Amino acid sequence: MTLTHSRTPRCALILVCMALLLAGPVHAFTASSLDITVDKNGDAVAIFRFTLDGLIENAIPQSVLQDQLQKGLTTSNDPPQLISMDRSSATLLLKNFSDVSDVPTGTQYQTATMDFTKAEIALKNSAVSSVITADFSPAVVTVTFPDNYTKELDNVNDLPAITHIIIDPSKQQAVADRLKYGAVKVISSPSTIKVYMDGTYTGDAPATFSDIAPGTHSLNFQKDGYTPVTETINITGGQTLQISVFLATIPTTPTPNAPGFPGILAGVALAICVIVRMKR
């Protein structure tokens, strides 16, 4: 009797497994949410929450789940690194999840894409595909950036690339200043021409002169031995005006020819004659 009694649960389990096989795969894995937190360096920590349903909740090897999750969340040449995992969630490190670059107004983050169906395809090719099906597409995906800006997506099969700029107030002010003032680029011939703007010495050309208030300005160009030139320019904020300046040399005045030796002798003779006549 004891032997017969011990076989009963075992036989029941075998019958259940045979029923599962005959009925087809069981929808046993459902992704609930994916929360991704992006670090300043572009790496990210992902918390993937899921549920295991049905009689085979404890029959799915955790190593299988781990392998499929890593395949589904791969975003770069570096595969995800599993930090921790239990029967309802997994925490992974995603290396180089976001590209980080400097832009005029701050720091730009552009995240990688994710195709959640990769994990489902990998599961279909696994040893448990005959009894297990899975939905790896999270009901909710949230991506949080270092400034706590959050992007949320619902019921997506893939995560698109997300671009976000974290504003740097100092850079933003610099951009505002560049738009507030203008500049002038002076191309000159000859070089080292002195430039005077509105009567004040500004520097030597060729050069670019910036931080000029918008509006009309007078430029005077001077160099020893050359004829000065004055130009009137109109400056627009955020733009650089280019002008070319060519100074002409000042012509030299020819000096009268000095008398030669015969002329000097003639002058001396004349002076002697005059002196002689005066003595008489």
Side-chain angles (χ1 to χ4, degrees), residues 97-181:
F97 174 72
S98 177
D99 289 332
V100 183
S101 59
D102 288 331
V103 294
T105 55
T107 303
Q108 176 176 287
Y109 291 81
Q110 185 170 30
T111 65
T113 60
M114 277 187 182
D115 185 357
F116 302 118
T117 60
K118 287 182 180 179
E120 297 176 16
I121 294 172
L123 184 63
K124 289 180 181 179
N125 296 327
S126 69
V128 296
S129 61
S130 59
V131 294
I132 300 173
T133 62
D135 180 7
F136 279 88
S137 300
V140 179
V141 178
T142 59
V143 180
T144 303
F145 292 88
D147 62 344
N148 292 324
Y149 169 80
T150 299
K151 179 73 173 180
E152 183 174 305
L153 301 96
D154 298 328
N155 298 314
V156 292
N157 290 325
D158 57 79
L159 177 65
I162 301 173
T163 301
H164 175 61
I165 297 176
I166 298 180
I167 301 299
D168 184 335
S170 61
K171 289 185 177 181
Q172 191 176 35
Q173 184 60 45
V175 171
D177 290 341
R178 284 196 295 271
L179 295 176
K180 182 179 179 181
Y181 297 101

Side-chain angles (χ1 to χ4, degrees), residues 233-251:
I233 61 172
N234 186 45
I235 295 295
T236 301
Q239 298 184 12
T240 299
L241 176 68
Q242 178 174 304
I243 62 173
S244 298
V245 178
F246 302 94
L247 300 187
T249 57
I250 299 174

